[in-house]
């Protein structure tokens, strides 16, 4: 194990040792305890360049990859500029996980499928050639199919960042869209970064004045549970009260975090009335191709999206 003090040394350590990056360690240590990660690790906690929030002259923000989820949730300037992000961060997991977990780790964490995390099973994710969850217990699996793996991507912050069209910085490469981190058709991994590449930060665009945002996770219990379905929505009202800009993103349903472009298009330029929202979410279930045990997620996805939109609803529309 090593703990470099700068980005260049960290990248060299990852490349030369074949190690895995470790920041808060909330996912890495769980996999280590389960026997599905073995190290070595390159610790990033001493690389000061990777932590904190920097603001540009146009009001846009850059968040370092090892900035904790708790710090993001508590930052008053981020809360004003990017309320969908801070609302999502504040609802994640438990206070202890938020205090240790980082934005980079959340984006690049591994899925929670119990077949992948049990060394007794072979699957696409650990060098096998099948997905045992598809024939086994997949009650928490995907409902929108993108490829052979049935494990939903677990990053909540990714859906909030998708809603902002945010970018990620990877050392030695041009900035890339957050969506570019993921490939649902590839069942062998949860993100596309090759070994030795280091995600160094997240770039958010210039914030929109007057934005309203809401986040909700549907869970099987009230505390510390992975979401069955989660959704985030943000709207920028125009002068007339119509949705000048709207974004809706969801997680827990597919191999990648997703934007719901159909819902966005249905609401663009409209007031967020009950009728408009009902109309916009009516086609959500048509996106779903449930597995034998995930049919319940189709309706839950529609209703979770409806819920976050209703929380943003036009206060003057009735």
């Amino acid at each position: 194990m090593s703990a470099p003090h700068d980005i260049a040394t960290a990248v060299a350590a990852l490349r030369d040792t074949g190690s895995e990056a470790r920041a808060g360690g909330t996912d890495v240590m769980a996999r280590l305890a389960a026997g599905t990660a073995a190290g070595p690790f390159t610790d990033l906690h001493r690389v000061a360049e990777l932590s904190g929030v920097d603001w540009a002259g146009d009001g846009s923000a850059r968040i370092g990859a090892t900035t904790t989820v708790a710090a993001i949730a508590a930052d008053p300037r981020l809360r004003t500029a990017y309320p969908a992000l801070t609302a999502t961060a504040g609802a994640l997991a438990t206070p202890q996980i938020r205090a240790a977990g980082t934005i980079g780790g959340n984006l690049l964490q591994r899925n929670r499928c119990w077949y992948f995390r049990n060394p007794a099973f072979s699957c696409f994710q650990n060098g096998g050639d099948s997905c045992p969850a598809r024939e086994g217990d997949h009650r928490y699996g995907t409902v929108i199919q993108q490829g052979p793996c049935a494990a939903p991507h677990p990053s909540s912050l990714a859906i909030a960042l998708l809603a902002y069209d945010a970018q990620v910085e990877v050392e030695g490469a041009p900035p890339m869209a957050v969506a570019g981190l993921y490939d649902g058709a590839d069942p062998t991994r949860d993100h596309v970064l090759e070994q030795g590449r280091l995600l160094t930060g997240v770039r958010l665009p210039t914030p929109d004045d007057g934005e309203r945002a809401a986040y909700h996770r549907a869970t099987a219990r009230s505390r510390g549970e992975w979401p069955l379905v989660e959704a985030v929505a943000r709207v920028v009202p125009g002068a007339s009260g119509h949705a000048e800009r709207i974004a809706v993103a969801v997680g827990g349903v597919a191999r990648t975090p997703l934007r719901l472009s159909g819902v966005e298009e249905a609401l663009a330029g409209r007031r967020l009335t009950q009728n408009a929202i009902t109309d916009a979410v009516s086609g959500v279930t048509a996106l779903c191709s449930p597995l034998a045990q995930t049919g319940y997620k189709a309706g839950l996805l529609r209703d979770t999206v409806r819920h976050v939109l209703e929380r943003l609803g036009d206060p003057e529309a009735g």
Side-chain angles (χ1 to χ4, degrees):
M1 294 186 287
S2 59
H5 289 77
D6 58 75
I7 289 175
T9 305
V11 171
L14 291 169
R15 181 185 63 245
D16 296 344
T17 65
S19 57
E20 181 177 355
R22 179 168 60 185
T26 57
D27 176 33
V28 169
M29 299 310 292
R31 288 187 285 113
L32 187 64
T36 54
F41 303 104
T42 293
D43 287 313
L44 304 176
H45 63 279
R46 294 183 180 177
V47 184
E49 303 162 82
L50 293 177
S51 182
V53 182
D54 298 310
W55 295 90
D58 62 358
S60 63
R62 177 195 179 275
I63 304 176
T66 63
T67 307
T68 66
V69 176
I72 292 168
D75 189 306
R77 189 169 177 183
L78 284 176
R79 189 179 306 122
T80 298
Y82 309 107
L85 175 62
T86 57
T88 304
L92 273 178
T94 64
Q96 294 87 346
I97 294 296
R98 293 194 293 271
T102 66
I103 187 170
N106 189 272
L107 292 173
L108 302 180
Q109 65 186 299
R110 303 302 305 275
N111 72 78
R112 259 59 191 180
C113 177
W114 38 46
Y115 293 98
F116 161 60
R117 289 180 178 258
N118 186 333
F121 289 92
S122 172
C123 75
F124 288 120
Q125 295 267 323
N126 59 22
D129 59 2
S130 67
C131 175
R134 285 187 173 269
E135 301 302 323
D137 189 340
H138 54 257
R139 74 189 84 164
Y140 303 130
T142 54
V143 68
I144 297 175
Q145 305 307 318
Q146 296 175 309
C149 178
H153 198 278
S155 177
S156 296
L157 295 186
I159 68 171
L161 293 171
L162 281 180
Y164 285 108
D165 294 313
Q167 295 181 315
V168 292
E169 298 174 348
V170 178
E171 180 65 14
M176 62 187 292
V178 168
L181 280 176
Y182 311 111
D183 178 9
D186 183 350
T188 65
R189 51 187 180 169
D190 294 307
H191 60 79
V192 303
L193 293 192
E194 300 288 350
Q195 194 283 325
R197 305 307 299 270
L198 180 64
L199 190 153
T200 58
V202 172
R203 294 184 181 183
L204 288 140
T206 304
D208 293 302
D209 292 336
E211 175 183 320
R212 301 199 302 267
Y215 168 80
H216 183 72
R217 52 176 42 206
T219 60
R221 62 184 183 186
S222 62
R223 296 289 183 272
E225 181 65 273
W226 294 97
L228 304 171
V229 170
E230 57 185 334
V232 65
R234 52 182 295 263
V235 63
V236 181
S240 63
H242 295 75
E244 181 176 291
R245 187 172 304 163
I246 189 162
V248 182
V250 296
V253 294
R255 281 291 297 140
T256 67
L258 294 175
R259 280 277 291 267
L260 295 186
S261 58
V263 174
E264 295 170 358
E265 292 167 4
L267 290 172
R270 301 177 68 181
R271 288 182 178 271
L272 299 189
T273 64
Q274 186 70 49
N275 287 341
I277 291 169
T278 298
D279 177 58
V281 303
S282 63
V284 168
T285 56
L287 301 173
C288 301
S289 300
L291 303 175
Q293 299 169 9
T294 63
Y296 72 94
K297 280 195 175 187
L300 186 59
L301 172 61
R302 178 200 59 220
D303 293 344
T304 302
V305 173
R306 183 202 306 272
H307 177 65
V308 295
L309 290 170
E310 287 175 344
R311 286 169 57 188
L312 301 183
D314 188 337
E316 299 179 358

